[in-house]
Amino acid sequence: MKPTPVRRILWVIAILLLLGLLMAGLARAQPVQITDDKGRKIALPRPPERIVSLLPSLTESVCELEQCHRLVGVDRYSNWPEAVVGKLPKVGGGLDPSIEAIVALKPDVVLMSVSSRASDRLEALGVTVVQLEPKTHADVRRVLGTVSDLLGVPRAQGADRLWRVIDAGVLAAAQSLPPQAKNARVYFEVSRGPYAAGESSFIGESLTRLGVRNVVPASLGPFPRLNPEFVVRANPDIIMIGNRSMQAMVPYPGWATMRAIRENRLCVFGPGDSDVVVRPGPRMAEAARIMARCLVEKAP
């Protein structure tokens, strides 16, 4: 008796699912070869199953690639997605974590920033270290690809798919802005100092894509520490400030004279929003929406 069309369709679906599982299994079993941002070539016999992440943007990247279950420990600032990451052991700060706590977790790989001081000590103990540090949009896309390769996740289903979502989200945020918000002159303070986000930073690139002008030129570097008088002279239309710690906003000398301050064209991002906008990772589309909302509310 010939199978009915419905039964044929079910057989095809079952075969496709089985092939998908087999291909995923093969990908997970394949050797891994990547190059990190220190220029080191790293080879593993198979994708890591136990990962410690010491940089929030890398923690979020692993999770957005749907591999959160491989994380066994994170730095104290990794806090998203809270439902998963909040339950993981914290191993201290990303720059100078507890080596003993990391080794006790028996990781296959430790993800960290290029500036972390822990790499040499961990490597001396036989721990594989991958150092990655995205600073621009291009870096974020590249690092997502590297993490995808490290995890054995095909880029078509992993990094490339995720980047398309990020890119489309930033574009949608830009298209949501009314004409009066375009070309506004913006100053973005990342942290007290003041440390600013320059044109060449990932935050600066997002502001450019939103259609506004950054008063901190690329020539000063991605995140320069400025004299407060620089901002007074620049006289931005809108000021954005990341204030993760919710510390008291003590005025800088001369800032009270700026029109943006007098007219309350100021957005202070608290802990939740600040984490989103200052991390170069998979939530950059959400960051663009947060900044766009500020521009809509405060545009002169």
Side-chain angles (χ1 to χ4, degrees):
M1 184 175 68
K2 291 184 179 181
T4 64
V6 172
R7 295 176 74 180
R8 280 200 299 269
I9 292 170
L10 291 175
W11 271 108
V12 170
I13 292 172
I15 291 169
L16 289 174
L17 287 172
L18 181 60
L19 286 172
L21 291 171
L22 287 172
M23 290 176 68
L26 287 171
R28 293 281 287 275
Q30 291 296 316
V32 171
Q33 288 188 329
I34 63 168
T35 301
D36 73 1
D37 286 357
K38 295 280 277 191
R40 298 174 305 181
K41 296 187 182 300
I42 296 158
L44 297 170
R46 64 188 62 83
E49 291 296 333
R50 297 181 61 83
I51 299 171
V52 171
S53 174
L54 302 180
L55 190 64
S57 62
L58 296 178
T59 302
E60 295 180 12
S61 296
V62 171
C63 288
E64 281 296 278
L65 290 167
E66 300 179 354
Q67 302 301 314
C68 228
H69 59 277
R70 301 200 211 184
L71 292 170
V72 295
V74 293
D75 69 288
R76 70 167 63 97
Y77 299 109
S78 288
N79 56 5
W80 187 89
E82 172 63 23
V84 178
V85 176
K87 299 175 183 176
L88 293 173
K90 300 293 191 292
V91 296
L95 294 179
D96 196 15
S98 168
I99 302 300
E100 295 77 12
I102 294 172
V103 173
L105 293 171
K106 299 179 180 179
D108 300 321
V109 158
V110 177
L111 301 176
M112 64 174 64
S113 72
V114 170
S115 53
S116 177
R117 296 183 290 271
S119 59
D120 291 343
R121 293 173 63 194
L122 286 169
E123 288 181 316
L125 294 170
V127 177
T128 300
V129 169
V130 176
Q131 292 183 269
L132 301 166
E133 194 155 1
K135 296 180 180 178
T136 65
H137 283 211
D139 287 341
V140 171
R141 185 175 189 178
R142 174 182 51 76
V143 166
L144 285 172
T146 301
V147 174
S148 202
D149 293 343
L150 174 69
L151 298 174
V153 177
R155 288 200 180 194
Q157 291 80 48
D160 293 348
R161 171 195 60 79
L162 184 52
W163 179 255
R164 286 195 299 271
V165 172
I166 295 169
D167 194 51
V170 175
L171 177 61
Q175 292 175 337
S176 72
L177 290 178
Q180 64 267 28
K182 299 288 185 179
N183 292 316
R185 299 173 68 257
V186 176
Y187 168 74
F188 192 112
E189 181 174 300
V190 178
S191 61
R192 295 290 290 180
Y195 289 93
E199 281 183 310
S200 61
S201 69
F202 68 94
I203 296 173
E205 289 180 330
S206 291
L207 289 171
T208 297
R209 289 194 62 183
L210 289 173
V212 299
R213 291 180 288 165
N214 194 329
V215 299
V216 182
S219 59
L220 295 181
F223 297 103
R225 183 172 187 174
L226 301 174
N227 185 317
E229 291 181 5
F230 174 94
V231 186
V232 175
R233 291 194 302 270
N235 195 28
D237 299 318
I238 298 171
I239 296 173
M240 301 183 186
I241 297 178
N243 189 15
R244 187 184 190 280
S245 64
M246 292 304 289
Q247 59 187 318
M249 299 298 296
V250 179
Y252 294 111
W255 274 37
T257 64
M258 288 192 293
R259 187 174 178 182
I261 298 293
R262 296 198 314 269
E263 297 181 0
N264 193 31
R265 286 193 259 111
L266 173 75
C267 293
V268 179
F269 304 125
D273 285 351
S274 185
D275 281 347
V276 176
V277 296
V278 303
R279 291 179 182 174
R283 292 198 285 170
M284 286 200 310
E286 185 180 347
R289 288 191 289 271
I290 290 170
M291 290 189 284
R293 187 163 63 242
C294 169
L295 292 166
V296 170
E297 293 173 357
K298 302 297 185 178

